[in-house]
Amino acid sequence: MINPTMMPNWLKQRAFLTPDRIAITYGNEQITFSKLDEMVMRRARQLAAIGVRQNDYVGLLMRNSLEMVLNIHALLYLGAIIVFFNTRLTEKELIWQIHDSKVKWTICDDELQGFIKGQTKTINTTELCSMKESETEIVTTFSLQHVATVMYTSGTTGKPKGVQQTYGNHWWSAVGSMLNLGLRENDSWLLAVPLFHISGLSILFRSVIYGIRVILHRSFNANRMNEAIKKQNATIASVVSTMLQQMIEELGEERYPCTFRCMLLGGGPAPKPLLEACQAKEIPVFQTYGMTETASQVVTLAPEYCFSKLGSAGKPLFPVEIKIVQNEKTCRPYEEGEIVIKGPNVTIGYLNRSDSTSKSIRNGWFYTGDIGYLDGDGFLYVLDRRSDLIVSGGENIYPAEVEAVLLSHPNILDAGVIGKKDEKWGQVPFAFIVCSQNISERELVAFCEERLAKYKVPKGFKMVKELPRNASKKLLRRKLKEKLDEK
Ligand code: ATP
Ligand code: MG
């Protein structure tokens, strides 16, 4: 019987169809798809020699590198399931994820091996490169229903959860992105976000599925990014706002060539001054919204709506449906509620967490835990996390909105807002701030009152040296709540 969810191994197929096209530029190296396949075959045989088998869970604790790319493809060639670990995790967090995912092996960069020794069987890059090869069978067809990768959420709202991403999730994510951005023969995607995040990994899969080049950077450097756009003909780049900010500053009076067609900006809301600076330099910014559970972007705002729909994350990709739900009912335009998503790129569930899975996936819809609304034209506006919502005297307050106002003060470097218990109002907003110089509470209140409705103005401020952030640099408001309770 024909199984409609099977397709050829992606890299094998690509190496067969367009063997001589460049797959990866890494430093001075240019590697074609056929060469990449050859290198991956060798790596697969080395991994087989250490005992990696089909359906094994294998951890990867690596920074962006050609070696990491080889390991990713080789593990898929063997039919193993890759569990990605963020290299910025603390030792404790890392060990927790290793045990939670029950990986059989962890492949790591040499310098990271010390963190996980004794917790899992490990092999470092140097050891792996010198392994003898052993004959093994290669997976020639991928089943879209099978799990290819597991990636942990950032752990912003609670403990990180291992998201199971199937081949189908990655496939539809790549197709959805292409139907939105188009595909050009000369496309080259600049990859300086981590490969252990879905933002980075999805670029690698797109490269193989589309047959385009990836310009791979080990880590982010604004100058090197700009050089890749100006001199190496990168046509698309994936960034978060702090990266883009630095790239613009570094660019100075110069411009990108007109071949550069898409700056894909994700991870969080984009500040207006940054969008204005990009417009002044004619940089085509596509804002996006997505998460680990949706295998990358699911909503995108095209540059022509950058200002007319300011603050919006855009419209869904072609295969994706979105609705806003409040008390089990679908909201009307402009009504706020939880953002729920349906589409073939949405996860089948969390690894070893049937309770979280059944809470998040209901009747075929994925409940994101984010609050937002759709406008009359169907554009999505993301407001904040449901768990961080502050309800004060029956009014909803979104910490992100208050934080954005505080951050617009020239002497406030960072801000985090949470709800504090209050006898009269139930909750009132309370702000933690990092300042470059002392600001009086009176001045802070006056500054906020000019820009926010009175009930949104924090009823207390605490100056701190720094705010708690996770390995993805996201603000941990739950840690601020603990701090407040300690007081
Ligand atoms: P956890 O699920 O463990 O709490 P996390 O949600 O931060 O962690 P990720 O999957 O890395 O883990 O991040 C996805 C989240 O990032 C989204 O659910 C959303 O809250 C936020 N986000 C992504 N893009 C945007 C955007 N354009 N605007 C606002 N928020 C965004
Ligand atoms: Mg999340």
Side-chain angles (χ1 to χ4, degrees):
M1 207 169 67
I2 287 174
N3 183 341
T5 70
M6 301 291 274
M7 62 170 68
N9 173 324
W10 297 334
L11 178 57
K12 281 265 166 231
Q13 177 79 338
R14 176 51 59 198
F16 166 62
L17 295 175
T18 54
D20 301 327
R21 280 196 205 163
I22 301 294
I24 298 186
T25 299
Y26 185 61
N28 296 326
E29 286 182 88
Q30 304 270 18
I31 295 156
T32 62
F33 283 106
S34 71
K35 177 77 185 161
L36 184 62
D37 169 49
E38 211 178 279
M39 294 164 88
V40 169
M41 279 302 293
R42 182 173 143 76
R43 178 54 47 89
R45 288 194 213 101
Q46 289 173 314
L47 286 166
I50 66 166
V52 175
R53 300 284 176 264
Q54 194 158 14
N55 298 324
D56 281 349
Y57 284 79
V58 180
L60 214 51
L61 176 65
M62 298 184 77
R63 301 197 174 93
N64 286 7
S65 62
L66 190 54
E67 289 300 326
M68 185 171 185
V69 171
L70 298 183
N71 290 337
I72 292 171
H73 286 305
L75 287 166
L76 300 185
Y77 272 30
L78 293 172
I81 296 152
I82 311 171
V83 182
F84 287 91
F85 298 126
N86 184 328
T87 58
R88 299 186 198 120
L89 293 177
T90 63
E91 200 169 326
K92 208 169 138 204
E93 290 169 325
L94 193 53
I95 292 170
W96 185 85
Q97 291 188 10
I98 283 173
H99 293 299
D100 183 68
S101 58
K102 304 188 178 72
V103 284
K104 184 172 164 191
W105 287 94
T106 298
I107 305 169
C108 57
D109 283 332
D110 295 10
E111 69 275 16
L112 297 172
Q113 196 167 18
F115 289 110
I116 51 171
K117 257 214 155 127
Q119 304 296 332
T120 157
K121 281 193 272 183
T122 59
I123 181 154
N124 68 36
T125 305
T126 309
E127 290 163 347
L128 190 53
C129 289
S130 56
M131 265 322 271
K132 282 213 182 86
E133 297 171 44
S134 108
E135 272 316 306
T136 182
E137 258 185 53
I138 297 302
V139 174
T140 53
T141 46
F142 287 166
S143 165
L144 295 188
Q145 288 154 323
H146 282 174
V147 176
T149 52
V150 172
M151 211 172 253
Y152 278 83
T153 60
S154 298
T156 311
T157 51
K159 267 219 175 300
K161 296 178 289 261
V163 177
Q164 302 184 88
Q165 299 160 334
T166 62
Y167 284 90
N169 293 152
H170 292 301
W171 169 261
W172 283 106
S173 167
V175 171
S177 176
M178 179 179 59
L179 292 175
N180 180 44
L181 299 178
L183 179 61
R184 311 222 176 125
E185 212 176 331
N186 67 345
D187 270 338
S188 287
W189 208 304
L190 186 50
L191 197 176
V193 285
L195 275 166
F196 56 70
H197 269 172
I198 191 59
S199 53
L201 184 68
S202 58
I203 301 174
L204 194 65
F205 287 141
R206 287 179 203 131
S207 148
V208 175
I209 294 168
Y210 306 169
I212 63 168
R213 177 174 69 131
V214 159
I215 303 173
L216 178 67
H217 285 187
R218 184 159 175 78
S219 57
F220 169 71
N221 174 289
N223 178 36
R224 273 192 289 122
M225 288 282 279
N226 286 343
E227 288 300 295
I229 295 174
K230 288 187 289 191
K231 303 208 176 111
Q232 290 180 306
N233 304 321
T235 59
I236 307 177
S238 294
V239 293
V240 296
S241 27
T242 49
M243 292 166 79
L244 185 53
Q245 182 69 47
Q246 289 178 46
M247 287 164 73
I248 289 180
E249 282 164 19
E250 208 278 335
L251 191 62
E253 292 307 306
E254 283 191 62
R255 294 284 165 105
Y256 292 139
C258 54
T259 44
F260 182 73
R261 67 183 187 93
C262 170
M263 187 72 87
L264 200 61
L265 174 63
K272 190 179 173 202
L274 178 64
L275 296 173
E276 284 167 345
C278 288
Q279 197 195 34
K281 291 183 188 299
E282 296 174 319
I283 301 171
V285 176
F286 290 71
Q287 298 174 68
T288 69
Y289 165 75
M291 61 212 72
T292 316
E293 291 92 334
T294 59
S296 178
Q297 37 147 352
V298 272
V299 176
T300 307
L301 185 72
E304 60 266 38
Y305 297 113
C306 198
F307 291 100
S308 62
K309 297 289 181 185
L310 188 74
S312 168
K315 284 189 175 177
L317 298 185
F318 193 85
V320 175
E321 278 176 86
I322 286 195
K323 60 180 185 178
I324 306 292
V325 173
Q326 176 78 282
N327 300 327
E328 306 295 324
K329 283 209 188 87
T330 303
C331 296
R332 288 190 303 271
Y334 299 101
E335 248 184 299
E336 293 163 8
E338 184 164 0
I339 302 168
V340 303
I341 298 179
K342 187 191 259 184
N345 46 343
V346 174
T347 178
I348 52 165
Y350 299 108
L351 183 67
N352 307 325
R353 283 219 158 55
S354 52
D355 51 337
S356 304
T357 302
S358 48
K359 263 189 215 145
S360 296
I361 303 177
R362 302 194 311 258
N363 300 323
W365 289 87
F366 175 71
Y367 285 68
T368 62
D370 290 324
I371 298 184
Y373 65 89
L374 296 168
D375 74 4
D377 301 320
F379 284 83
L380 176 72
Y381 290 75
V382 183
L383 293 168
D384 218 319
R385 312 269 184 163
R386 196 184 49 179
S387 55
D388 291 337
L389 177 72
I390 303 167
V391 183
S392 187
E395 297 279 4
N396 285 352
I397 303 171
Y398 298 101
E401 184 189 1
V402 185
E403 286 159 7
V405 164
L406 289 168
L407 285 169
S408 69
H409 188 289
N411 297 332
I412 296 182
L413 305 173
D414 206 356
V417 172
I418 52 165
K420 183 179 176 213
K421 275 204 193 105
D422 185 86
E423 277 190 12
K424 187 169 174 198
W425 303 106
Q427 275 185 309
V428 289
F430 185 94
F432 288 81
I433 46 175
V434 180
C435 302
S436 56
Q437 62 185 67
N438 245 345
I439 319 170
S440 73
E441 185 147 339
R442 247 176 75 194
E443 186 190 332
L444 286 166
V445 170
F447 183 83
C448 290
E449 276 180 348
E450 266 177 43
R451 294 159 178 87
L452 289 168
K454 202 160 172 85
Y455 67 92
K456 296 180 188 171
V457 174
K459 299 295 173 291
F461 295 86
K462 185 172 167 56
M463 287 193 205
V464 289
K465 278 212 185 86
E466 60 175 359
L467 294 178
R469 289 186 180 272
N470 61 23
S472 305
K473 299 271 174 270
K474 292 187 182 188
L475 177 65
L476 295 175
R477 296 197 188 110
R478 59 194 162 88
K479 289 261 159 89
L480 290 177
K481 280 181 197 152
E482 286 166 21
K483 259 193 185 177
L484 200 62
D485 293 340
E486 278 166 19
K487 276 178 59 178

